C-alpha cells in the first residue's frame, strides 16, 4: 500500500467541492480567454474574487455560529435513540502487570532492539523514524486494547510531559479490560471457538478462556488444561477445546499441532507428507496418545439419560435440550487402542496393528511418563524443552503487534526453517520461557522496544522477501477493531459492559450426578422464562436504526455471540465463521463500503446521546468542535485545509454538515489502518 494512498486525508465532500471549484475556474478562464482578456487580468480578477469570497465566508461563519450552537442544544434535548446502559465498573477485573518487573522488560526490549538493528545495518538498511505521540497513542490503544483512544485519553497522553509516559501508557493498557477483550478476539479466531457447534453447547469454554486472559493465566497451563480436560463442558469448561471437534480426534490433533507447535502434519494422516519429513506412521504414533478418547456416555458418571423416559408429551420441547447438552463428554477408555487404518500405506507398520505412541521430536517429560496418554501428550506439547511451543507462541504474539511474523507462515515450520531475524527469534523464545509463558509480560517487552515504536513501513514491503523489521508493517484493522472503535465513538466506558452470564440457563439444563433426565426436564420447564430474561438483558444494549430497521447489540466484539451471523457488521468486515484456524480477514469488500456509507454502525455514532453527539452538543466554538472530532476519529488535529473544508460544510448545512464531516473521516483509509 502506497504512502500517498494511506495518508489521503481528503474528505469525501471536500473532494467534490474542490473538483467543482476547479471546473468553475477552468470554465471561467476559458470564457475570459474567448473574450480576449489577458491571463494577468484573469489572475487579478480571480484573486479579487477569492478575497471577497473569504471575507463573506468569515462573516457568514460568525453569523452561523449562534445558529449552530442552538441546533446542537436542541438536538441534545431530543429523546436519545441509543440504549441507556449503566456500565458496571466492577464488571470486569483484570490482573495488572508487576511494576517491579518493568526495568527487566525495558532491558529485554533494548536487547531486542540491538538484535533487530544489527541485522538491519548488516543488510544496508536503516530503521524507520520514531512515531510521534499522536501515532503512538493510537497504535498502542489499537494493538493492546483493540480500539482507538477517546479524544480525552489521547489528549491526556499528548499533554503528559513525563519521560516515562510511553512505558506508563503500555502498563496502563495492559492492565485494562480492553487487553483481555482484544486477546480474546485473537484466540477465539485461532481456536475456532463457537458458542455452539451443531447441537453442542460450548459457551462455557469461551467464558473460561476469557477469564484466563483477564487473570493472566500462564499460557502453557491453559493449553495443558485444554488437552487433558475431562467430562462435560459444564464440569470442565476447557473440555470445549476437544468437544469442538467431537468425534474427530485426528482432525483435532492436526489443529493442535498447527496452533501450538506451528507445524503441519495433516497430510500425513492419509499418506507421507509430500513437502516435509513426516511419515504416515509419525502421525498415527502421535495420535495414539489420545487413542482411547471418547465423546459420549462415560461409565464413570452415573446419570440416567433415557430417551424413553423423556417421551412424555410434557417434556416435548425440552427433550432435545436435555439430551444434546448432557450426552457430550470427554473421557478416556483404557481398553480402546488406536490401530493403523485399513488403507495404511507407509513403511514400518501394517494395517490393523495397534499403534505404539511416540512424539515427533524430543521426548515425553519425565514427570508425566507414567500418566495417561493424553497427559503425556499435553506435557510434551507444553514443555519448556519443546522448542516449537515457545517459538510458535513468541512468533504469534510478535505478529499480533508487528503485523508480520518473524517466521511466515505462522503454522508451517520445518526443521530447516530460519526466521527473518533468527537471533531475535531465538531471544524471544528464551524470553517467553523465562517469563513462564506470561503473554502480558512478553508483550510488555515488545511494546517497549524502539522497533515497535517506530513508524510503520508503507511502500517498501515485499511479502516474498524476508522483512527485517525497520518498524511494524502497515496493516488494516481487524473486524473486531473496527467495530470496537465505532463503539468507542458511541458508548461511554464500553469496557465495563459485559455479556450477560448464561449461568441460570446452564443450571437448568445440566443433569447432575445421580439425577434422572426427567428430573432435569421438569426443572427445564423454566427455560422459556430464563430465555426471555436473557433477551431482555440483551435489549438493554440494543440499538435499532429506525431508517434501515437494523438491530445491533452495542457491546464489544468479545461480549457478543461467537461467531456473529452472516450479514452482521463484524462478519461483513472479516470476522470468520470459526470453521478454519485464524480465518478472519482484513480484505476490503463492496458490502463494507455500503455498511460504512449507510449501515446502522455509521448511524449510531451520531445518534442523540452518543459520545460524538455529546461533543457536538457542548457549548464550544466551531474550532474546538472540529478539533475534538478529528482527535476522536483520527487521533490528530486537522490541517488548516481540512479546517476550512469542515467549517464550510458546517456553515452551509448546520448539524447535518458536521455529520458529513464525521462520516467522511470514518471513510478514510487513515481511520481503518493501524499506522
Amino acid at each position: 500500500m502506497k504512502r500517498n494512498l494511506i495518508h489521503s486525508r481528503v474528505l469525501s465532500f471536500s473532494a467534490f467541492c474542490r473538483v467543482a471549484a476547479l471546473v468553475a475556474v477552468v470554465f471561467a478562464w476559458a470564457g475570459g480567454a474567448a473574450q480576449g482578456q489577458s491571463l494577468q487580468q484573469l489572475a487579478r480578477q480571480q484573486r479579487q474574487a477569492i478575497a471577497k469570497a473569504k471575507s463573506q465566508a468569515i462573516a457568514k461563519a460568525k453569523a452561523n455560529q449562534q445558529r449552530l450552537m442552538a441546533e446542537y442544544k436542541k438536538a441534545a434535548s431530543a429523546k436519545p435513540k441509543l440504549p441507556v446502559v449503566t456500565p458496571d465498573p466492577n464488571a470486569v477485573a483484570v490482573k495488572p502487570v508487576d511494576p517491579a518487573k518493568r526495568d527487566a522488560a525495558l532491558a529485554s526490549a533494548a536487547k531486542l532492539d540491538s538484535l533487530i538493528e544489527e541485522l538491519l545495518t548488516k543488510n544496508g538498511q536503516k530503521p524507520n523514524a520514531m512515531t510521534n505521540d499522536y501515532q503512538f497513542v493510537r497504535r498502542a490503544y489499537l494493538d493492546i486494547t483493540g480500539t482507538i483512544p477517546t479524544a480525552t485519553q489521547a489528549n491526556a497522553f499528548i499533554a503528559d510531559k513525563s519521560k516515562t509516559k510511553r512505558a506508563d501508557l503500555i502498563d496502563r493498557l495492559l492492565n485494562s479490560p480492553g487487553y483481555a477483550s482484544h486477546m480474546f478476539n485473537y484466540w477465539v479466531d485461532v481456536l475456532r471457538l463457537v458458542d455452539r457447534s451443531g447441537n453442542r453447547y460450548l459457551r462455557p469454554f469461551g467464558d473460561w478462556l476469557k477469564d484466563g486472559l483477564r487473570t493472566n493465566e500462564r499460557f502453557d497451563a491453559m493449553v495443558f488444561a485444554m488437552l487433558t480436560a475431562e467430562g462435560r463442558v459444564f464440569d470442565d469448561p476447557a473440555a470445549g477445546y476437544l468437544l469442538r471437534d467431537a468425534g474427530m480426534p485426528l482432525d483435532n490433533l492436526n489443529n493442535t499441532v498447527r496452533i501450538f507447535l506451528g507445524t503441519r502434519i495433516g497430510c500425513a494422516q492419509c499418506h507421507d507428507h509430500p513437502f516435509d519429513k513426516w511419515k504416515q506412521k509419525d502421525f498415527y504414533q502421535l495420535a495414539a496418545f489420545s487413542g482411547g478418547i471418547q465423546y459420549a456416555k462415560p461409565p464413570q458418571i452415573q446419570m440416567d439419560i433415557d430417551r424413553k423416559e423423556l417421551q412424555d408429551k410434557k417434556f416435548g420441547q425440552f427433550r432435545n435440550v436435555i439430551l444434546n447438552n448432557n450426552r457430550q463428554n470427554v473421557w478416556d477408555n483404557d481398553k480402546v487402542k488406536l490401530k493403523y487404518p485399513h488403507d495404511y500405506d507407509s513403511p514400518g507398520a501394517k494395517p490393523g496393528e495397534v499403534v505404539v505412541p511416540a512424539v515427533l521430536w524430543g521426548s515425553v517429560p519425565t514427570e508425566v511418563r507414567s500418566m495417561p496418554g493424553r497427559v503425556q501428550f499435553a506435557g510434551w506439547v507444553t514443555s519448556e524443552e519443546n522448542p516449537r511451543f515457545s517459538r510458535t507462541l513468541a512468533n504469534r504474539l510478535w505478529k499480533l503487534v508487528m503485523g508480520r511474523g518473524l517466521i511466515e507462515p505462522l503454522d508451517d515450520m520445518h526443521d530447516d526453517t530460519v526466521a527473518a531475524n533468527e537471533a531475535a527469534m531465538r531471544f524471544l523464545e528464551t524470553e517467553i520461557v523465562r517469563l513462564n509463558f506470561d503473554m502480558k509480560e512478553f508483550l510488555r517487552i515488545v511494546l517497549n522496544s524502539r522497533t515497535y515504536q517506530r513508524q510503520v513501513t508503507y511502500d517498501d514491503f515485499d511479502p516474498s522477501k524476508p522483512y527485517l523489521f525497520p518498524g511494524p508493517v502497515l496493516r488494516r484493522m481487524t473486524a473486531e477493531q473496527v467495530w470496537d472503535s465505532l463503539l468507542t465513538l458511541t458508548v461511554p466506558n464500553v469496557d465495563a459492559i459485559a455479556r450477560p452470564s448464561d449461568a441460570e440457563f446452564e443450571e437448568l439444563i445440566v443433569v447432575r450426578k445421580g439425577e434422572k433426565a426427567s428430573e432435569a426436564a421438569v426443572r427445564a420447564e423454566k427455560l422459556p422464562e430464563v430465555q426471555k430474561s436473557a433477551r431482555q438483558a440483551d435489549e438493554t444494549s440494543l440499538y435499532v436504526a429506525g431508517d434501515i430497521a437494523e438491530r445491533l447489540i452495542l457491546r464489544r466484539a468479545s461480549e457478543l455471540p461467537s461467531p456473529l451471523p452472516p450479514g452482521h457488521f463484524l462478519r461483513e468486515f472479516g470476522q470468520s465463521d470459526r470453521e478454519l484456524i485464524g480465518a478472519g480477514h482484513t480484505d476490503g469488500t463492496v458490502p463494507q463500503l455500503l455498511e460504512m456509507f449507510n449501515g446502522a454502525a455509521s448511524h449510531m455514532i451520531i445518534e442523540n446521546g452518543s459520545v460524538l453527539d455529546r461533543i457536538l452538543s457542548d457549548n464550544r466554538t466551531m474550532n474546538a468542535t472540529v478539533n475534538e472530532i478529528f482527535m476522536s476519529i483520527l487521533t490528530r488535529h486537522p490541517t488548516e485545509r481540512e479546517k476550512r473544508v469542515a467549517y464550510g460544510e458546517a456553515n452551509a448545512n448546520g448539524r447535518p454538515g458536521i455529520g458529513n464531516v464525521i462520516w467522511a473521516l470514518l471513510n478514510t483509509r487513515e481511520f481503518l489502518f493501524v499506522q
Side-chain angles (χ1 to χ4, degrees):
M1 188 65 69
K2 298 294 184 182
R3 180 190 299 265
N4 61 334
L5 291 178
I6 298 305
H7 271 195
S8 174
R9 295 173 176 172
V10 178
L11 308 184
S12 299
F13 62 84
S14 73
F16 172 80
C17 293
R18 287 202 311 280
V19 170
L22 178 60
V23 170
V25 170
V26 170
F27 271 84
W29 179 85
Q35 296 175 20
Q37 289 180 283
S38 69
L39 291 177
Q40 290 81 1
Q41 288 175 316
L42 287 171
R44 184 168 58 253
Q45 291 173 0
Q46 186 178 9
R47 287 195 298 271
Q48 292 172 346
I50 291 173
K52 181 179 180 181
K54 182 177 180 180
S55 177
Q56 290 175 339
I58 292 173
K60 185 177 180 180
K62 290 180 179 179
N64 282 343
Q65 185 71 41
Q66 291 182 340
R67 174 179 63 82
L68 291 172
M69 290 303 109
E71 285 185 18
Y72 299 156
K73 290 181 179 180
K74 182 179 179 180
S77 64
K79 184 179 179 180
K81 291 185 178 180
L82 291 174
V84 179
V85 182
T86 303
D88 179 3
N90 300 314
V92 182
V94 177
K95 183 179 179 180
V97 294
D98 185 351
K101 294 181 179 179
R102 180 189 282 190
D103 287 346
L106 294 176
S108 292
K111 173 64 176 177
L112 174 62
D113 285 326
S114 68
L115 295 172
I116 294 291
E117 291 166 12
E118 180 181 349
L119 189 60
L120 284 170
T121 300
K122 184 177 179 180
N123 284 270
Q125 297 183 28
K126 294 182 179 180
N128 298 342
M130 297 297 290
T131 53
N132 59 43
D133 281 350
Y134 295 91
Q135 294 168 330
F136 176 77
V137 68
R138 183 180 181 86
R139 184 194 299 172
Y141 267 87
L142 280 167
D143 283 343
I144 303 174
T145 71
T147 182
I148 60 175
T150 65
T152 300
Q153 291 167 335
N155 285 326
F157 177 77
I158 300 301
D160 189 350
K161 303 302 181 184
S162 169
K163 293 182 179 179
T164 61
K165 71 177 188 177
R166 292 198 175 192
D168 294 340
L169 177 68
I170 290 168
D171 284 359
R172 189 160 61 250
L173 297 183
L174 289 172
N175 294 345
S176 72
Y179 163 79
S181 176
H182 183 48
M183 290 296 288
F184 178 79
N185 291 334
Y186 173 74
W187 285 111
V188 162
D189 190 39
V190 173
L191 297 173
R192 304 159 44 246
L193 192 151
V194 294
D195 289 344
R196 289 186 177 276
S197 177
N199 292 324
R200 296 185 296 277
Y201 173 73
L202 300 177
R203 179 178 162 181
F205 175 41
D207 291 342
W208 171 85
L209 175 64
K210 192 180 299 179
D211 287 342
L213 293 169
R214 288 171 177 168
T215 56
N216 198 35
E217 297 297 322
R218 290 177 53 147
F219 188 73
D220 59 336
M222 294 180 72
V223 175
F224 189 89
M226 292 183 219
L227 299 179
T228 60
E230 294 184 339
R232 299 166 298 178
V233 73
F234 310 113
D235 307 316
D236 186 346
Y241 176 73
L242 296 171
L243 288 172
R244 176 67 178 87
D245 297 312
M248 300 184 293
L250 300 183
D251 289 337
N252 184 265
L253 174 67
N254 178 41
N255 292 333
T256 297
V257 175
R258 281 186 61 187
I259 293 169
F260 303 122
L261 301 180
T263 304
R264 300 188 183 189
I265 62 170
C267 284
Q269 180 178 342
C270 301
H271 51 76
D272 292 348
H273 200 298
F275 307 115
D276 208 342
K277 69 178 185 179
W278 310 120
K279 305 299 182 182
Q280 194 175 12
K281 184 178 181 180
D282 296 325
F283 182 92
Y284 280 93
Q285 285 184 315
L286 189 65
F289 284 104
S290 305
I293 192 169
Q294 305 292 308
Y295 299 96
K297 293 185 178 180
Q300 67 268 35
I301 298 179
Q302 299 301 319
M303 59 176 61
D304 182 0
I305 305 179
D306 188 344
R307 288 182 180 275
K308 293 181 180 180
E309 182 185 338
L310 294 176
Q311 292 304 312
D312 193 308
K313 291 183 179 179
K314 67 180 180 180
F315 300 140
Q317 61 178 318
F318 311 120
R319 182 185 305 117
N320 288 336
V321 174
I322 299 300
L323 290 172
N324 293 335
N325 289 293
N326 287 277
R327 295 176 74 89
Q328 293 291 332
N329 301 263
V330 177
W331 64 288
D332 293 290
N333 188 339
D334 296 336
K335 297 179 180 180
V336 176
K337 303 296 181 182
L338 182 67
K339 297 180 179 180
Y340 290 104
H342 70 279
D343 58 350
Y344 178 82
D345 184 23
S346 186
K350 296 179 180 179
E353 284 186 1
V354 173
V355 184
V356 178
V359 294
L360 298 176
W361 56 76
S363 59
V364 173
T366 304
E367 59 269 23
V368 296
R369 286 180 186 173
S370 62
M371 296 184 179
R374 277 204 292 134
V375 176
Q376 293 185 49
F377 173 66
W380 171 73
V381 168
T382 61
S383 171
E384 292 182 358
E385 304 302 319
N386 190 336
R388 289 203 190 176
F389 182 68
S390 54
R391 192 174 181 89
T392 299
L393 178 59
N395 195 42
R396 281 191 176 278
L397 295 178
W398 173 269
K399 182 173 183 175
L400 183 63
V401 297
M402 295 297 293
R404 183 170 176 81
L406 283 159
I407 296 173
E408 287 286 349
L410 298 177
D411 58 359
D412 195 17
M413 296 183 193
H414 300 242
D415 287 350
D416 58 355
T417 296
V418 178
N421 186 321
E422 186 62 27
M425 185 76 260
R426 291 187 181 278
F427 173 70
L428 293 174
E429 286 177 48
T430 60
E431 285 297 278
I432 196 71
V433 173
R434 178 183 68 81
L435 296 168
N436 295 319
F437 300 98
D438 184 330
M439 293 190 290
K440 189 176 285 193
E441 282 296 333
F442 179 86
L443 287 171
R444 195 184 196 186
I445 292 171
V446 179
L447 295 165
N448 274 291
S449 68
R450 292 190 304 273
T451 303
Y452 171 76
Q453 296 183 23
R454 295 189 184 282
Q455 293 188 10
V456 296
T457 297
Y458 290 93
D459 53 3
D460 297 326
F461 172 59
D462 183 351
S464 67
K465 298 179 180 178
Y467 180 67
L468 302 185
F469 295 95
V473 174
L474 179 72
R475 60 200 187 279
R476 196 176 183 222
M477 289 188 200
T478 63
E480 292 80 8
Q481 286 174 317
V482 178
W483 170 258
D484 287 350
S485 293
L486 292 177
L487 280 190
T488 296
L489 298 169
T490 306
V491 182
N493 197 15
V494 70
D495 277 334
I497 305 173
R499 185 180 185 184
S501 170
D502 247 8
E504 196 172 359
F505 168 78
E506 294 166 13
E507 180 67 21
L508 292 181
I509 65 172
V510 174
V511 179
R512 302 180 182 89
K513 185 176 181 179
E515 180 181 39
K516 290 188 175 183
S518 58
E519 295 174 308
V522 170
R523 191 168 61 248
E525 291 179 359
K526 296 180 181 179
L527 272 176
E529 181 182 337
V530 169
Q531 290 168 338
K532 179 181 178 181
S533 177
R535 289 193 298 271
Q536 290 173 339
D538 274 343
E539 287 175 0
T540 62
S541 301
L542 180 65
Y543 165 64
V544 181
D547 295 342
I548 54 178
E550 189 173 350
R551 299 162 65 86
L552 293 173
I553 302 296
L554 302 190
R555 294 197 298 264
R556 291 199 63 163
S558 62
E559 307 307 308
L560 294 173
S562 176
L564 274 303
H568 189 279
F569 180 96
L570 280 158
R571 291 293 295 276
E572 296 289 3
F573 272 78
Q575 184 189 77
S576 77
D577 59 6
R578 312 298 193 222
E579 291 301 317
L580 300 176
I581 297 170
H585 70 82
T586 56
D587 301 330
T589 65
V590 171
Q592 292 172 12
L593 292 174
L594 298 177
E595 187 69 48
M596 292 299 283
F597 280 178
N598 200 36
S602 62
H603 284 235
M604 70 185 185
I605 63 171
I606 53 176
E607 288 284 13
N608 296 316
S610 73
V611 172
L612 282 182
D613 172 69
R614 296 178 188 188
I615 293 173
L616 301 183
S617 302
D618 286 347
N619 188 15
R620 63 179 78 199
T621 65
M622 179 59 65
N623 182 64
T625 297
V626 171
N627 265 315
E628 194 80 352
I629 289 172
F630 269 76
M631 283 297 294
S632 297
I633 299 174
L634 301 183
T635 321
R636 66 171 176 84
H637 296 296
T639 64
E640 290 302 316
R641 183 184 185 188
E642 289 166 338
K643 284 183 182 179
R644 290 195 297 271
V645 174
Y647 294 169
E649 181 67 15
N651 288 328
N653 298 298
R655 182 183 173 89
I658 292 293
N660 289 340
V661 174
I662 292 170
W663 173 85
L665 295 181
L666 289 174
N667 283 281
T668 59
R669 295 181 180 88
E670 188 174 356
F671 173 72
L672 284 174
F673 280 78
V674 183
Q675 296 187 74

